[in-house]
Each structure stands twice: as C-alpha cells, then as structure tokens.
Amino acid sequence: MDVLVSLPVVVPLLTAAVLAASSHFLARRADDIAGIAAAAATTGLSIALVVQSLDHDLVYWFGGWKPRHGLALGVAFDVEPLSAALAALAGLLATAVFVYAWRYFDEVGTLFHVLMLVFLAALCGFVLSGDLFNMFVFFELMSVCAYALVGYGIEAAPLQGAINFAVTNTVGSMFFLSGIALLYGRTGALNLAQIGRVLAGHGADGLVLVSFGLLLAGFLIKAGAVPFHFWLADAYAVAPVPVCVLLSGVMSDLGLHAIARIYWPVYSGVFGADAGSLRAVLVGAGVLTALVGGTMAFFERDLKRMLAFVTISQVGVFLAGVGLLTARGLAGSTLMVLASGLVKGALFLAVGILVSRAGSDDELRLRGIGRRQRLPFAAACFFAGGLLVAGLPPFAAFPGWALLVRSAGDVGYSWLPAVLALAAALAGGPVLRAAARVFLGWGDADDPLLSKEPSAGEDEPDVPSSRLSPPLLFGPPLALLLLAVAFGFVPGLAGHATGWATRFEDRPAHAAEVLAGKPPAPVRSSGEQAGAAAYGYGFASTAGALAVAAFGLYRRRLPGGVRRLGGRVLEPPVATLKALHSGVIGDYVAWLTFGAATLGGLVVLAIRG
Amino acid sequence: MSYLPYALAVWLFVVGLYGVVTSRNLIHLVVCLTVMQSSTYVLLLSIGYVNRATAPIFADVPRGTRAVDPVVQALTLTDVVVGVAVAALLLALSMQVQKHLGTTDPDELQQMHG
C-alpha cells in the first residue's frame, strides 16, 4: 500500500513530462484528455489516501531510507487525513479546470496543461511532505509554476501582476529557506518529527524564535495575510480564470496548513507554555486580514479582483481558526478550507462564463446583462456562491464554522466568532451585490465609491468569440457548487475531523509513529453537534451580507443626512486603504519587510515576554 | 567559527532588500533579488562549515577525516537552481513589459491600484 503515497505527486508530474516531450506529435485534444485523466487520477488517489490514513499516518520513506534508532536520514511523506483531503481538493479543482478549459480557451497550447499538472503535483507534494526541505522544494515548484501561469496570457496587464507576485513570493521563499537553515543549524535534522524531538530538549532560545518568525512570515506571504496580501489581489485580477481557481481554492490555504504542519510537530514542545500569547498574535493577524479583505472586496467592481479580496478575507478567517492552536480550531479551519475552496472555484468559473459571453468582468459595465442574455447557471453560481461565502447554515463551510465557534469559546475568545461573522458578511455582501446588479439589473448604473474602471486589456485575451458549447462551461462550476453544498451534510464529519486533528497535534505520539513506526493510540471521534450559537452567527452573517449588498446597491436612496454623515466617516479611511494598494512593487516589498519585522517582534514578545 | 559569514548573509539580504524596494528599473530589481538570494547561500554554507575539514567526498581519504556538512551544500545547490529559474522568468517578464509598454520602470506600470 506504501507505494500509493507518492502517486498523487508522481502521476501528474509524469503526465506533464510526457505531454511536454510529445507535444509536437499529439493529436488535437490529447492534452486536454491527458490533463483530465491525470487530475482525476490524482483526486482518486488522494481520496484513497484519506481512507487509508483514517486510523494511523502513512509514512513512506523514499528509497527505503527508514530511520534507525530514531534517527531519520531519509526523506519521508507523512500522510494524515487532513493533508490528504487538501490534496484531493487540489485534484478535484484541477479536474474541473481541465474540463472547463476544453472550451474556455481557443488556442492555449500544451504548455498550459504541462504547467497546470506540475503545479498540481507540487501542491500535493507540499501537503504530503513530512520533511522540511522537501516542503521547500515543492513550495518553490508550486511558486514558479504559479508565476508562469499568472503571466500566461502575455498582455500588458498580466505582466505587472505576475511580476509583483513573483518578486514578493521569492522574498517569502527566502524567509522560508533562512528559517530552514537556522533550524537545521540548531538541530541537524530536516524531518519535522525529528526536529521537534531534538528541539523539545532545548529551551526556546533566540535562534529557535527567529527561525519560527521566518517560517511564519514565509507562509503568511504565500497565504496572503495582511500586510503581505498586496500581491494576491494583483495576481488574481490578471490570471486566467482557470488558474485563479487553483490559486484561490488551494494555494493560499496551503500556506496556513503549513503553519499548522510546522507548529505542531516542531515547535509545540518548545512554545507549549506560551501558546496563549502566540494564539493572540495569530488570531489578531487573522482578524485584521479578514476585515481588511472584506472591506476591500466591498469597494471593488472588477469581479476577479473582488473575489481575490474575498479570498484574502477568508484566509483571515482560516488563519484565526488555525491560530486558536486547538484541535477543534484546526479541524474547523480545514473543513472550511475544503468547502470554500469548492465555492470559490465555482465563483471564479462563473466569472469566466461572464467574460466569455459578455467580454468583461466589470460589475458596472455588465449591469443587467443577465436580462439580455440567458445565463441561468452563472446566475445560480453567483447567488448561491455569495450566500455560501457569507456562511449560510447548514451548507458548505458550516460544520467547520461550528467547530471554530466552539473552539473559540473553549479558549476564552468568545468575541471572535462575532468579528469573523462580520468579516463573512463583508465578504459575501459584494458577491451578492454583483450578482443582483449583473443578473437582475438592480442598483445604480454608476457608483463613485467603487474603484475606477479597470484599464483596457484586462479582458481575457484567449477567449473565443464564437458560440460556446455550454455544458462543458457550466458543468464544472455547477458540480463544484453542488459538492460544496453537499459537504455540509456529510454525517459525522466534524467529529472525525476533530479526531484527526487531535492526532495531528499530539507531538510525542506523532514523533514515535514517524521515527519508530509505533502506531498511535486510537482517537475516539467525539460526536460534534453544531451549537445554537453557530447557527445564530451563521444566519446573522448571511443577513449581514444581504444588508451589505442592499447598501451597496441602494446607498443613494438613504436619507441625505445619513448619506452625508456616512460619506464623511467612511471615505477618508477607505481612500487611505485603497491608496495603500498602489501596485508598485517597491511599496509591496517595503510592507512585506515591515510585516515580517512586526510579526517577528510580536512572536519574540509572545514567547519571551 | 567566526560570526563574519552570518554578518555577511544579513548584509547581503539587507542591501538586496534596499535595492528591491527603491529600484526604478526591472532588470536592476531582478539583480537585487539575486543578491538577496545569495544571502541564503552564504547562510546555508556557513552553517555547514567545519574548521579545517575537507570537502565531503570520501574517496581517497583516511577514515575519520573531518568533512563539511554535505546536506547544506545540497540545499544550496537546489536553491541556486530555483533562483536561476525565478530570475529567468522575471527577466522574461521584464522583456515583455519593455515590449508592450516601452518602459522598465516599475513605478510607471500603473494598472493595478485601489
């Protein structure tokens, strides 16, 4: 069964190599078929890994270099259900994208399929790896593929987004590598479990703190947490729609999963006593990200850029969940990542339908297009997607949300769900507003509060102008949406996920399992029932999102006094916030430096103070 | 083991960062990024360095010869490869910027804001 473990990486990577080598001899559509087959196989294999790893981790040592006397020299994949589920999400989204790309692009070239498959392999390798340097290699592979994919349509506009993306993320990977170097210097090990075992004997000295700060900054840059988020909106706004699906649905969230993957096996032993202060830092960063992302989404009219800010806002929510540093928080956050990855995928693909039918992704220019053209499926995706982003119970991300609410209460952060619900309302509102304006023609034709009209050239260059065959275009988003809705109804999922997360966070047992092959004690999965509070917050955030959408559409109909007062209070901070998103790479890197320094300082204060 | 290599790594990182933040030319920016990247090479190699030790090649040397750590050298090589790929991609993008917009000044690419 062991060989199964490496297949989610090997299958797409090999397919990509074969496609690249034989691209000149291939029959038409062979690349599409190969892409769909490889991505579907990766999905199936990852799901098989989830099932196989239900009771114990699957640890696979490449080349048979198993640890001797608890000393690991080889490189391992360490599979547990939460990671394997993320790999399955990546595979599923990639499959949907390949099906969609069949008709979405006229002339795309085999290179697109090759890059997407390598990207998929890197995503899977990154979540499954149990070795710090192996994680770095897959992290880099995924970054380089993503840079190339974002700039795939070489027009004027994608270039700036791709350059900003590549430069900021390269700085991020330098942080990551420096952190690895310091950890290796301290412990002489690269296997996560082994590093943790060596560190547990030491205290939390300066070097360990700095390495944690560097790794954290590197992962948060990839995730797009404030103030590292600037690249994300630029990159997603210009990337081809099919690429956005994987970037937004999986890549951002993998940065957060990596934080958990680093914290629990490596640092939880050393930092355990100060977990409370560290929790405050991570949750604080999450809340800030969630609110800034939601606010920026509200003032956006470019639909792709709006969804990019929705992604940032959700990353903030997930970061707060992971940052609670509890099993329930991690389980809840991962379940939310899985469900909302499907929702965001459906939303981006629906934007793609709009772009290919109407030639624009600008909310105001598209106003009322749904009345002139029949776009029932895109409309369904948008309205349902907006409600799911807002957190409508009991669908999609709701089981995860209920876990998060309960976990926040457990550690004394009972204010947290209310703030995160506000962020969800802010993120869901603009999507619903755009849906109402585009498909129903509601609201004003112009709104000066929204950002200026996107410059020409943002429209997709590769989109065919011919009549499109609908089923291949609306099938994938609809399927993703239905899966997301159904995800909320999987029986007992919350309890099982909490059990897996408990296993994930048990550092000594995990180390014994990886280094000595000792199976862990079975974890009883407690039955988790969503509390009344979770339903309350869920309905409140949905109602809030509807209110935000109505406010966005009919702001001008408010009484004059209220409007003027609101304008005076709202406009200056909003103008400042928007001015910060300048698009200039130097500013972004300066923010990134500032953020990394602040984060490092806070971590030192949290552990030492 | 002196602190000099670590100081050098920090220095390279900081000057490269200053260059990236203040750069007015994309080519210059990419070069500054490679300067930053080289700080990670110095850091890795100095972590694995052992005084009065040979290269980690164990042919033709007596048993028990001290050698520097080969793992960090492998890491450095991987890092160099990654750095080259990123630099090449960024330079290609910069050339496209020059071709389409007639400038290489990042401040003049004003399509992304708000």
Side-chain angles (χ1 to χ4, degrees):
Chain A
M1 235 38 251
D2 269 359
V3 71
L4 190 69
V5 173
S6 59
L7 287 183
V9 180
V10 172
V11 168
L13 214 50
L14 266 185
T15 315
V18 171
L19 272 184
S22 60
S23 59
H24 291 295
F25 322 109
L26 286 178
R28 203 174 129 74
R29 294 296 177 199
D31 47 4
D32 287 307
I33 293 165
I36 293 169
T42 307
T43 316
L45 288 164
S46 306
I47 292 172
L49 284 183
V50 175
V51 176
Q52 292 277 326
S53 61
L54 286 181
D55 301 322
H56 59 91
D57 285 20
L58 296 176
V59 185
Y60 178 69
W61 297 90
F62 285 90
W65 284 71
K66 295 197 171 170
R68 301 269 165 83
H69 313 294
L71 196 70
L73 283 180
V75 172
F77 267 11
D78 176 7
V79 182
E80 34 76 39
L82 298 176
S83 309
L86 287 171
L89 172 69
L92 191 62
L93 290 179
T95 315
V97 162
F98 278 124
V99 173
Y100 186 82
W102 188 296
R103 289 312 292 256
Y104 184 71
F105 293 115
D106 248 356
E107 279 298 317
V108 67
T110 307
L111 191 58
F112 175 79
H113 300 77
V114 172
L115 280 171
M116 284 296 271
L117 284 172
V118 177
F119 187 47
L120 173 62
L123 290 168
C124 293
F126 183 67
V127 281
L128 299 181
S129 187
D131 179 282
L132 203 47
F133 193 70
N134 218 4
M135 279 176 77
F136 175 76
V137 173
F138 284 119
F139 185 84
E140 279 296 345
L141 188 61
M142 125 186 145
S143 303
V144 175
C145 289
Y147 308 153
L149 283 168
V150 166
Y152 196 80
I154 302 262
E155 292 287 310
L159 291 171
Q160 191 187 9
I163 288 174
N164 289 354
F165 178 27
V167 172
T168 45
N169 280 262
T170 304
V171 177
S173 59
M174 286 174 207
F175 283 139
F176 186 5
L177 185 63
S178 307
I180 294 175
L182 296 183
L183 261 187
Y184 180 76
R186 164 60 77 230
T187 61
L190 286 171
N191 184 285
L192 292 173
Q194 175 135 27
I195 300 174
R197 189 177 266 187
V198 177
L199 274 188
H202 291 77
D205 57 10
L207 199 61
V208 176
L209 284 175
V210 173
S211 71
F212 182 67
L214 286 169
L215 292 174
L216 192 61
F219 292 144
L220 286 182
I221 289 170
K222 186 54 84 185
V226 172
F228 308 119
H229 67 289
F230 295 99
W231 67 268
L232 193 148
D234 292 2
Y236 291 13
V238 299
V241 162
V243 177
C244 286
V245 173
L246 272 184
L247 290 180
S248 159
V250 203
M251 192 186 74
S252 296
D253 309 322
L254 286 197
L256 301 178
H257 184 71
I259 293 173
R261 222 171 152 83
I262 293 292
Y263 178 76
W264 290 107
V266 176
Y267 291 100
S268 60
V270 202
F271 292 171
D274 299 297
S277 334
L278 195 59
R279 177 179 298 140
V281 175
L282 293 175
V283 170
V287 167
L288 182 67
T289 307
L291 292 177
V292 169
T295 312
M296 288 300 293
F298 181 76
F299 294 104
E300 198 52 63
R301 59 188 269 187
D302 178 348
L303 294 178
K304 271 159 74 188
R305 209 168 147 85
M306 176 193 292
L307 290 179
F309 283 116
V310 168
T311 306
I312 293 172
S313 173
Q314 295 200 324
V315 159
V317 176
F318 308 150
L319 174 59
V322 170
L324 286 171
L325 303 179
T326 62
R328 278 207 189 92
L330 176 62
S333 189
T334 310
L335 291 183
M336 289 180 83
V337 165
L338 293 171
S340 67
L342 299 171
V343 175
K344 277 178 290 186
L347 279 170
F348 270 113
L349 292 180
V351 172
I353 295 178
L354 282 178
V355 173
S356 63
R357 277 299 180 83
S360 172
D361 61 355
D362 178 37
E363 178 184 333
L364 295 180
R365 211 191 302 169
L366 287 173
R367 178 169 174 269
I369 196 90
R371 295 192 153 186
R372 296 189 289 278
Q373 299 188 23
R374 287 186 53 236
L375 299 161
F377 296 106
C381 282
F382 249 90
F383 282 108
L387 290 174
L388 293 181
V389 165
L392 179 68
F395 307 106
F398 182 70
W401 170 247
L403 282 177
L404 207 156
V405 170
R406 190 152 163 213
S407 167
D410 289 346
V411 292
Y413 280 60
S414 41
W415 52 269
L416 182 64
V419 181
L420 295 185
L422 172 67
L426 279 173
V431 180
L432 290 170
R433 178 197 71 199
R437 191 172 266 147
V438 170
F439 296 106
L440 302 176
W442 291 4
D444 302 322
D446 190 28
D447 190 340
L449 254 189
L450 301 185
S451 48
K452 287 192 283 295
E453 185 167 1
S455 55
E458 295 222 348
D459 300 346
E460 302 266 317
D462 296 330
V463 172
S465 49
S466 60
R467 288 285 83 196
L468 293 147
S469 149
L472 284 176
L473 271 189
F474 66 67
L478 222 52
L480 291 181
L481 200 66
L482 289 177
L483 275 176
V485 168
F487 193 78
F489 297 107
V490 179
L493 191 62
H496 287 298
T498 309
W500 300 329
T502 310
R503 206 175 87 207
F504 186 92
E505 298 184 353
D506 189 347
R507 190 185 55 79
H510 176 257
E513 186 177 8
V514 172
L515 300 175
K518 228 167 76 182
V523 178
R524 283 179 297 107
S525 70
S526 48
E528 295 275 353
Q529 288 299 324
Y535 278 100
Y537 287 122
F539 284 120
S541 64
T542 312
L546 290 170
V548 168
F551 175 73
L553 290 170
Y554 296 114
R555 191 170 44 85
R556 300 248 178 90
R557 302 203 186 158
L558 290 173
V562 178
R563 215 170 59 212
R564 273 192 296 279
L565 183 71
R568 222 169 290 155
V569 178
L570 272 178
E571 264 163 36
V574 166
T576 315
L577 192 62
K578 282 168 98 167
L580 290 181
H581 295 71
S582 61
V584 179
I585 181 63
D587 298 358
Y588 289 5
V589 177
W591 272 109
L592 190 154
T593 315
F594 167 76
T598 312
L599 196 68
L602 286 175
V603 166
V604 170
L605 276 181
I607 306 293
R608 282 285 175 82
Chain B
M1 190 69 208
S2 80
Y3 282 96
L4 201 58
Y6 299 105
L8 176 67
V10 172
W11 172 247
L12 282 176
F13 193 88
V14 172
V15 289
L17 189 65
Y18 176 78
V20 170
V21 171
T22 58
S23 182
R24 301 297 305 272
N25 183 310
L26 284 173
I27 310 285
H28 172 261
L29 192 148
V30 177
V31 173
C32 291
L33 206 62
T34 28
V35 171
M36 282 179 82
Q37 189 114 38
S38 50
S39 80
T40 56
Y41 310 154
V42 175
L43 178 66
L44 279 168
L45 290 178
S46 49
I47 278 173
Y49 188 74
V50 181
N51 271 332
R52 280 188 290 284
T54 67
I57 302 167
F58 295 101
D60 301 332
V61 290
R63 267 178 176 275
T65 309
R66 283 147 63 91
V68 297
D69 190 341
V71 173
V72 287
Q73 302 197 342
L75 303 195
T76 310
L77 270 180
T78 316
D79 191 24
V80 169
V81 173
V82 166
V84 169
V86 172
L89 194 66
L90 274 171
L91 287 174
L93 288 172
S94 310
M95 278 185 60
Q96 294 293 332
V97 169
Q98 168 70 29
K99 216 187 264 177
H100 284 280
L101 302 171
T103 175
T104 50
D105 185 348
D107 293 358
E108 285 177 22
L109 311 174
Q110 288 295 349
Q111 298 136 337
M112 296 283 146
H113 43 72

